[in-house]
Amino acid sequence: MSCIDVQCVSKLYGSIKAVDNITLSVKPGKVFGFLGPNGAGKSTTIKLLTTLMPPSNGSLSILGIDAIANPLQVRHKIGVVLQQPSYEPTLSVEKSLDKYGMMWNVSKNERKKRMERLLVDFDLNEIRKKRNEDLSIGQRRRVQVAREFMHDMELLFLDEPTVGLDPTARRNLLDYLKKRVKTGLTIFYTTHILSEAEYLCDEIAIIDKGKIITIDSPDALKNKFGKEKTIKIHLLKKHPDVSSMLSTISDCEINFKNGTNIIIHSEQSELVLLQILKILNDNGIEIEDLSAMPTNLEEIFLKMVRENSSDN
Ligand SMILES: Nc1ncnc2c1ncn2[C@@H]1O[C@H](COP(=O)(O)OP(=O)(O)OP(=O)(O)O)[C@@H](O)[C@H]1O
Ligand SMILES: [Mg+2]
């Protein structure tokens, strides 16, 4: 059985199709990454899946429950950290955690136990007495994510939880999430940071303009595009005709930056590179630096979003 089963779901805001006919499913114990540029429809999708609003069309099953017919049943079983900051300004960090546990009817003993663990796991011990309004943005975000773990849940939705976190806090959170997934938690995770998705997620969906462009494992995504390499050439000096000279080469996409940097994406990188070097050499154009590397996930993402835009 899937933990999340979304069939042909759309959401319209007036005439804007924020989510456009998406279908996806998430298996228990997995981390599903939802990636896309600003305005792609990530937060709207999270709001639909967490029953904060109903879809315009389609069907949604969360933990086997029809989420459109029984939103409250769903809400009792899931955790949600939305993109917007949410905190009570005058409460201290420890009171925030405790109050959240109370809201979820967690017993006093259990609340105390969980709070002490979370204060350590989220590196909040030193600031446990501080009021939320006196915290930094990153500290506040950590409290907002930590308090969600005060209650039991099978499925957790996180909408860009690492925004504002420094690299150490970011890595800590990702490792904490991985640990929880090992004990059976399922996570639906949005981000636009590809390296994060690659580190954490079992499957990645790329969404743009409300539509899912692709769903695959990080490895499969890389394999699909794995043949592609990025070649970077730095010329010693600007040359006015270099772009027209290279325009005759096929099987590649060439971009020029500042007149001296040439970036080439190609699946035939060796062939393309030979041709480029010949042209540059024949014309006496000197190279200062040259590198070729496999296209990373970040570039795959940008390319897919670009291609999706030009198709429309
Ligand atoms: N309440 C609303 N009313 C009207 N339009 C909205 C509303 N909320 C979102 N939208 C629009 O829906 C689209 C998707 O927005 P959404 O917030 O889901 O994007 P996102 O992928 O979460 O972006 P970001 O990365 O910036 O958080 C955008 O075009 C946005 O302007
Ligand atoms: Mg968003």
Side-chain angles (χ1 to χ4, degrees), residues 13 16 18 36-45 47 83 159-160 192:
Y13 292 118
I16 297 173
N38 290 139
K42 301 182 296 296
S43 296
T44 304
T45 302
K47 287 177 194 157
Q83 190 170 8
D159 198 351
E160 300 193 28
H192 17 220

Side-chain angles (χ1 to χ4, degrees), residues 260-278:
T260 52
N261 287 325
I262 309 172
I263 298 165
I264 303 119
H265 295 282
S266 175
E267 290 190 7
Q268 312 279 333
S269 56
E270 282 166 35
L271 230 67
V272 166
L273 186 57
L274 281 176
Q275 294 177 65
I276 292 175
L277 292 177
K278 181 167 185 337

Side-chain angles (χ1 to χ4, degrees), residues 33-161:
F34 211 52
L35 262 97
N38 290 139
K42 301 182 296 296
S43 296
T44 304
T45 302
I46 286 222
K47 287 177 194 157
L48 297 173
L49 300 185
T50 55
T51 78
L52 296 176
M53 60 189 185
S56 310
N57 298 102
S59 66
L60 271 180
S61 163
I62 304 292
L63 299 167
I65 304 162
D66 177 342
I68 300 168
N70 305 300
L72 288 180
Q73 264 188 49
V74 170
R75 274 191 228 175
H76 281 121
K77 296 188 164 208
I78 61 173
V80 190
V81 177
L82 292 176
Q83 190 170 8
Q84 290 79 10
S86 144
Y87 59 94
E88 285 184 58
T90 55
L91 279 191
S92 68
V93 170
E94 52 182 27
K95 288 252 168 60
S96 303
L97 295 181
D98 192 54
K99 189 168 172 198
Y100 210 75
M102 260 160 81
M103 269 169 48
W104 282 90
N105 292 322
V106 179
S107 72
K108 195 169 178 199
N109 276 344
E110 189 60 28
R111 289 205 305 273
K112 176 84 184 137
K113 214 166 82 191
R114 287 184 192 185
M115 185 182 78
E116 292 300 336
R117 283 299 307 266
L118 288 169
L119 289 171
V120 173
D121 287 339
F122 283 77
D123 196 18
L124 299 167
N125 233 336
E126 275 177 33
I127 51 166
R128 60 190 292 161
K129 303 278 181 206
K130 264 198 169 182
R131 284 143 52 118
N132 279 311
E133 61 188 355
D134 298 330
L135 300 180
S136 73
I137 291 172
Q139 290 169 336
R140 217 177 273 151
R141 189 69 173 157
R142 263 152 49 203
V143 175
Q144 193 183 352
V145 178
R147 73 176 184 191
E148 208 54 49
F149 288 96
M150 286 296 291
H151 70 96
D152 295 317
M153 62 199 149
E154 293 168 50
L155 175 60
L156 173 62
F157 294 86
L158 296 167
D159 198 351
E160 300 193 28

Side-chain angles (χ1 to χ4, degrees), residues 30 80 203 287:
K30 300 282 177 202
V80 190
E203 269 199 304
I287 295 172

